Amino acid sequence: MSTEAPTSMETETVASKTKLESNTLPPKPKFEPLKAHEMSDGRIQFRKVSVPPHRYSPLKKYWMDIYTPIYEQMKVDIRMNLKARKVELKTRSDTPDVSNLQKCADFVQAFMLGFDVPDAIALLRLDELYVESFEIKDVKTLRGEHLSRAIGRLSGKGGKTKFAIENATKTRIVIADTKIHILGSFANIKIARDSLCNLILGSPAGKVYSKLRQVTARLAERF
């Protein structure tokens, strides 16, 4: 009996040791974050933005203002293809984020639509900004002088109405012939679009201003 007892004790200690070994997991592997070019399997991504004829002169004039933030801050290559009449963008090996390419394309596209560089550059800085475009004929079919009067109502005397809507809704508006482009956050674009649609449908500016006052006061309360 005396010889059997230690053997059972030994088996128990060996079993407890194996249990402890099974409970201790190997250390977690540490992976370095993937770089932008590694996410796309090392493939270089491209974007091309067409340049309309009437935006050549402004593009030439403000080229360095457009080039500097895209190349130096967003780490995206940019060049003007004169043959194809397009601005070409591509990622580099040191591009910090894949989304930078799309942001830069949106920024260049906004400039082509007629927005100023200081306004369009906000698309690079903030994520919740969008550009929405629509035509006057999408709201109401107007021809001849009726169309001219509608465009006049949208701008106001010396652009007064347009500036009032921009300042009240914290957006930027471009009226290019019958096309209207709005740059801003989703909620603010909706308010600005509703005001512009009312003007197209024939509402006098005074009525639109009073509605804007109510809506902006409600927005201020919410925030």
Side-chain angles (χ1 to χ4, degrees), residues 5-26:
T7 52
S8 62
M9 286 278 285
E10 277 168 22
T11 52
E12 277 175 19
T13 51
V14 169
S16 63
K17 269 183 187 177
T18 51
K19 267 185 186 177
L20 281 167
E21 281 170 12
S22 63
N23 287 339
T24 54
L25 295 166

Side-chain angles (χ1 to χ4, degrees), residues 121-139:
I121 211 164
L123 287 161
L124 299 180
R125 308 269 186 270
L126 305 165
D127 291 331
E128 297 83 26
L129 287 185
Y130 308 94
V131 176
E132 188 171 310
S133 304
F134 66 95
E135 287 191 56
I136 289 172
K137 68 178 181 188
D138 298 337
V139 183

